[in-house]
Amino acid sequence: MIPYGRQDVQEDDVAAVVAALKSDFITQGPCIPAFEESVCNAVDSAHGVAVSSATAALHIACLALGLGRGDLLWTSPITFVASANVGHLCGADVDFVDIDPDTFNMSAASLAEKLQQAKQEGRLPKIIMPVHMCGQSADMEAIGQLAREHGISVVEDASHAIGGRFGNRPIGSCAHSDIAVFSFHPVKIVTTAEGGLATTQDAALAERMRLFRSHGVKRDPSSMEGDSDGAWYYQQVELGLNYRMTDIQAALGVSQMTRLEEYVARRNELAVRYDRLLADLPLERPGRIDAAVSAFHLYVVQVDAQKRRKIFDDLRRNGIGVNVHYIPVHTQPYWQNFGFQTGQFPNAEDYYSRAISIPLFPTMTEEEQDEVANRLSEALG
Ligand SMILES: *Cc1c(COP(=O)(O)O)cnc(C)c1O
């Protein structure tokens, strides 16, 4: 089976992990700040907070921005469920903004319209969370501008997008947002097995995210309320969690990050090659916007909705590990319990009915890619 995504773990990664295992600290040691620094350097960010997953990073991002009961978070219906779930985990309500059918990203035009309506109703969101679907940035200039006009915070779910750029700035530099979040799950661009990281240019937000990462507990006497009882003393000032990454994972991350540019370049080469191989087939290839350089986490083709299931099954049967990203979140039973209905976000639903993610990963060979294209051509009939 040619998988839709696959990690690339090399000998130097293994050596880095073994070294961390043999060191004095297998968690909360020197690899965590080293990993945070390597990501910050790569994406041009002042602060980075490494955690156990992107889900955890999205959660502490929302907590740090003060999202809570009575507040509202808006995200895209075409995302993994985690983007919406963190809103509910904070006690807030969640709503969705339909996608742009060309890019599968939150539509800035739909957002503008929905904001107008929400303003009239006196129910503006506290956080807007665009998702950089497949690794291509949403239109952050427009979304950031709209958010600023209405005094709304922006958290980028950049789980797919480390190494991507928007308007010649790296995703993660937060040029149009408060916080950006990356995932290091093995199918994503670089991996720590499980892991996530939030970047921000705001020192106070970074500090608050560090607090929520570790039980809401402070250990630095200078930032405590009142006096410290002694060197052992710690103080809990918020309700936090244990969302820490281990040094073992961070060691893998530091080693992987040395190949970020290589990975993204190779993914883009393969994507351009797919564009060429698939040009004459009866399908839609993914749309590009000039302002963005995609990290190409995923290559999604869209086929006739009536034939999608058969094409998908044919490909799987023939050893092509296709997948579908994503089932619109508002159609999930959990979210339907909160009153969301099928039909509410038609662009997202239409996209979902036709989407197939085909294999794309940096170690994929051209022979494997030809095999995917040939099998896809057969399946399309
Ligand atoms: C993978 C992913 C997440 C969750 O990442 P984890 O690291 O697995 O928690 C969230 N949002 C999107 C868009 C993702 O692709």
Side-chain angles (χ1 to χ4, degrees):
M1 181 77 83
I2 303 173
Y4 85 84
R6 183 180 214 300
Q7 73 276 15
D8 170 43
V9 175
Q10 300 188 4
E11 282 310 315
D12 55 347
D13 298 325
V14 174
V17 169
V18 170
L21 269 168
K22 289 180 174 170
S23 74
D24 290 339
F25 305 97
I26 60 173
T27 190
Q28 306 318 108
C31 294
I32 303 287
F35 179 53
E36 291 172 340
E37 196 181 325
S38 73
V39 174
C40 284
N41 287 342
V43 307
D44 211 353
S45 173
H47 310 279
V49 181
V51 286
S52 51
S53 68
T55 307
L58 291 168
H59 191 192
I60 60 169
C62 291
L63 290 171
L65 287 164
L67 188 74
R69 209 166 295 282
D71 293 329
L72 194 49
L73 174 144
W74 287 1
T75 188
S76 168
I78 296 299
T79 185
F80 186 54
V81 294
S83 321
N85 287 351
V86 296
H88 269 196
L89 285 170
C90 291
D93 295 325
V94 172
D95 201 355
F96 303 93
V97 180
D98 207 354
I99 61 164
D100 174 333
D102 295 329
T103 62
F104 331 140
N105 277 323
M106 178 186 283
S107 156
S110 301
L111 176 63
E113 210 174 295
K114 198 173 171 92
L115 283 169
Q116 278 312 321
Q117 214 178 329
K119 196 176 173 185
Q120 279 164 14
E121 292 164 7
R123 188 97 213 276
L124 285 168
K126 184 161 193 149
I127 294 177
I128 297 171
M129 185 185 288
V131 180
H132 303 320
M133 187 60 190
C134 304
Q136 176 168 256
S137 179
D139 184 351
M140 289 308 297
E141 190 159 3
I143 292 170
Q145 174 70 31
L146 285 164
R148 267 192 307 281
E149 280 168 18
H150 293 86
I152 299 165
S153 301
V154 178
V155 176
E156 298 171 71
D157 183 344
S159 290
H160 297 185
I162 194 165
R165 301 176 79 82
F166 180 78
N168 214 27
R169 293 263 285 156
I171 293 175
S173 63
C174 300
H176 306 282
S177 71
D178 298 278
I179 297 170
V181 164
F182 300 118
S183 172
F184 304 109
H185 183 276
V187 296
K188 308 284 164 78
I189 311 283
V190 299
T191 190
T192 59
E194 295 281 359
L197 188 141
T199 61
T200 181
Q201 303 291 4
D202 182 328
L205 275 179
E207 207 41 55
R208 284 186 64 68
M209 289 195 285
R210 292 208 165 88
L211 200 56
F212 287 114
R213 166 173 74 179
S214 200
H215 308 285
V217 159
K218 286 182 170 176
R219 292 181 182 276
D220 174 11
S222 67
S223 69
M224 287 179 185
E225 295 170 26
D227 291 333
S228 166
D229 285 353
W232 66 86
Y233 190 65
Y234 56 84
Q235 201 167 58
Q236 187 198 347
V237 297
E238 286 283 1
L239 183 62
L241 300 111
N242 176 357
Y243 273 165
R244 296 185 303 257
M245 178 181 273
T246 66
D247 251 43
I248 305 166
Q249 293 168 300
L252 176 57
V254 171
S255 182
Q256 287 261 312
M257 280 300 292
T258 62
R259 297 193 296 275
L260 174 64
E261 279 182 36
E262 209 179 295
Y263 285 154
V264 171
R266 180 64 183 153
R267 285 175 175 278
N268 271 274
E269 268 172 28
L270 290 167
V272 168
R273 199 163 176 275
Y274 263 143
D275 287 344
R276 197 154 28 83
L277 291 172
L278 308 180
D280 298 326
L281 300 184
L283 52 72
E284 280 172 51
R285 288 170 284 130
R288 318 271 187 99
I289 58 168
D290 288 340
V293 176
S294 178
F296 265 109
H297 164 51
L298 296 173
Y299 193 99
V300 173
V301 298
Q302 289 175 91
V303 299
D304 182 335
Q306 253 56 57
K307 299 186 188 143
R308 193 266 303 265
R309 187 168 185 157
K310 185 184 174 301
I311 293 166
F312 185 98
D313 291 344
D314 281 356
L315 287 166
R316 278 273 179 100
R317 201 166 343 97
N318 287 311
I320 310 299
V322 285
N323 217 318
V324 172
H325 300 91
Y326 291 96
I327 303 158
V329 178
H330 70 282
T331 67
Q332 296 287 356
Y334 173 84
W335 291 98
Q336 301 238 318
N337 289 337
F338 292 90
F340 290 105
Q341 283 168 6
T342 304
Q344 235 179 319
F345 302 100
N347 291 346
E349 291 165 32
D350 178 65
Y351 160 83
Y352 164 65
S353 72
R354 300 190 295 122
I356 300 178
S357 305
I358 61 176
L360 181 64
F361 48 95
T363 56
M364 186 179 199
T365 64
E366 294 192 350
E367 291 70 35
E368 285 174 319
Q369 204 179 18
D370 292 343
E371 171 76 3
V372 174
N374 290 335
R375 294 294 185 179
L376 185 52
S377 175
E378 281 169 24
L380 286 158

